[in-house]
Amino acid sequence: MIRVRFEGRAACDAEGAPGETLLALAQRAGQPLEGTCGGQMACATCHVIVAAADFTRLPPATADEEDMIDFAASATRHSRLACQIRLTPALDGLCVRIP
Ligand code: FES
């Protein structure tokens, strides 16, 4: 299992399976992430801010993801869309904040 720490209003630690999206794990863990479009990269309601130390552990965002992040409230240079991040063992210990 891959451990992820969620920080913010409903801080918690959770464990996900390889291949699961960060959005699915967050929702299973009770995090306040809507994911309105179901992972179609059309809403940005799955916006998370990745800890600076962890950001480079993620595969780079696609141009489409970066375009959608531009619509997210409170976006930072460490912002990502949780629906586009698939958990892998390399991400064990990832720390993200729900803006
Ligand atoms: S769920 Fe809509 S962009 Fe991620």
Side-chain angles (χ1 to χ4, degrees):
M1 297 298 271
I2 298 148
R3 295 167 298 150
V4 176
R5 169 171 290 256
F6 294 99
E7 296 183 332
R9 285 172 280 166
C12 74
D13 293 314
E15 290 189 347
E20 183 175 19
T21 66
L22 183 60
L23 174 61
L25 175 61
Q27 290 178 330
R28 194 157 48 77
Q31 293 297 309
L33 273 187
E34 290 182 24
T36 307
C37 75
Q40 300 302 305
M41 247 193 318
C43 71
T45 61
C46 64
H47 170 217
V48 295
I49 299 172
V50 179
D54 289 336
F55 193 73
T56 57
R57 296 168 64 196
L58 297 170
T62 63
D64 286 344
E65 181 181 350
E66 289 187 352
D67 287 348
M68 188 53 60
I69 287 170
D70 288 342
F71 290 105
S74 308
T76 76
R77 64 193 176 103
H78 295 132
S79 290
R80 293 295 301 264
L81 298 180
C83 69
Q84 299 303 305
I85 297 172
R86 293 227 173 250
L87 299 177
T88 67
L91 297 181
D92 188 47
L94 185 72
C95 182
V96 300
R97 180 165 58 85
I98 313 297

